[in-house]
């Protein structure tokens, strides 16, 4: 019987064993599948998830104390996208904080500068 695949699809080594074998070992199979997945166009879910993770990382980085005020341009320059958030919370004054998981932000204009007020989710916000 003729072998379907002569060489490993990942590393090119000559294959031994079953005639329908495509990879020399599990590591080559995994590496090749990872490479194929990386070359495929990014799926919508991945784009959204990547944006949310970047937003969360930036909010966490700029809000170490639990509350902070940061210029909007600083965060946006680093890749922050305020259109991607997970939920919101409205305070008694009517301000709507947008949250990326446990880190929230509120758009505010202060001295003709666009800023974000950054906060962290608190237990009292559940009610």
């Amino acid at each position: 019987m003729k072998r379907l695949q002569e060489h490993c699809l990942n590393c090119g080594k000559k294959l031994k064993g079953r005639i329908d074998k495509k990879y020399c070992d599990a590591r080559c199979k995994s590496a090749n599948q990872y490479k194929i997945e990386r070359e495929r166009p990014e799926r919508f879910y991945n784009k959204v998830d990547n944006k949310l993770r970047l937003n969360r990382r930036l909010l966490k980085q700029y809000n170490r104390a639990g509350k902070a005020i940061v210029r909007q341009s600083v965060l946006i320059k680093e890749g922050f996208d305020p259109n991607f958030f997970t939920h919101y919370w409205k305070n008694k004054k009517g301000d709507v904080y947008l949250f990326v998981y446990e880190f929230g932000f509120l758009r505010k204009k202060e001295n003709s500068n666009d800023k974000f007020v950054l906060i962290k989710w608190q237990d009292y916000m559940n009610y």
Side-chain angles (χ1 to χ4, degrees):
M1 267 196 193
K2 183 163 169 60
R3 178 176 285 286
L4 299 174
Q5 185 71 36
E6 290 290 327
H7 296 89
C8 175
L9 292 175
N10 186 56
C11 70
K13 287 183 185 175
K14 188 159 176 71
L15 295 174
K16 298 176 186 172
R18 295 187 351 233
I19 63 168
D20 62 340
K21 197 171 184 182
K22 296 179 183 179
Y23 304 98
C24 56
D25 59 22
R27 187 178 314 161
C28 273
K29 180 179 179 182
S30 178
N32 194 55
Q33 289 173 340
Y34 179 75
K35 184 177 84 176
I36 290 169
E37 188 62 35
R38 296 275 299 164
E39 291 171 356
R40 284 186 12 196
E42 195 172 23
R43 296 181 309 202
F44 180 75
Y45 169 83
N46 294 42
K47 287 180 185 178
V48 172
D49 189 48
N50 289 339
K51 283 286 190 185
L52 288 173
R53 285 190 293 144
L54 175 64
N55 281 357
R56 182 187 179 278
R57 184 178 57 78
L58 290 171
L59 291 174
K60 181 180 181 181
Q61 177 183 332
Y62 282 93
N63 184 13
R64 295 194 187 275
K67 184 173 182 183
I69 298 176
V70 180
R71 284 192 178 191
Q72 189 173 333
S73 60
V74 171
L75 284 177
I76 290 176
K77 186 177 172 183
E78 297 226 21
F80 184 78
D81 188 340
N83 296 317
F84 287 84
F85 56 93
T86 55
H87 59 289
Y88 68 92
W89 173 70
K90 191 174 185 178
N91 68 10
K92 290 179 183 175
K93 295 181 195 173
D95 299 327
V96 177
Y97 286 84
L98 302 176
F99 278 83
V100 182
Y101 304 108
E102 74 272 32
F103 297 100
F105 63 98
L106 171 69
R107 294 175 196 239
K108 197 169 201 166
K109 196 162 200 89
E110 194 175 277
N111 299 331
S112 72
N113 291 318
D114 291 326
K115 297 187 178 187
F116 286 130
V117 176
L118 308 181
I119 63 171
K120 193 169 179 186
W121 186 264
Q122 304 294 318
D123 287 336
Y124 69 85
M125 296 174 178
N126 287 328
Y127 307 103

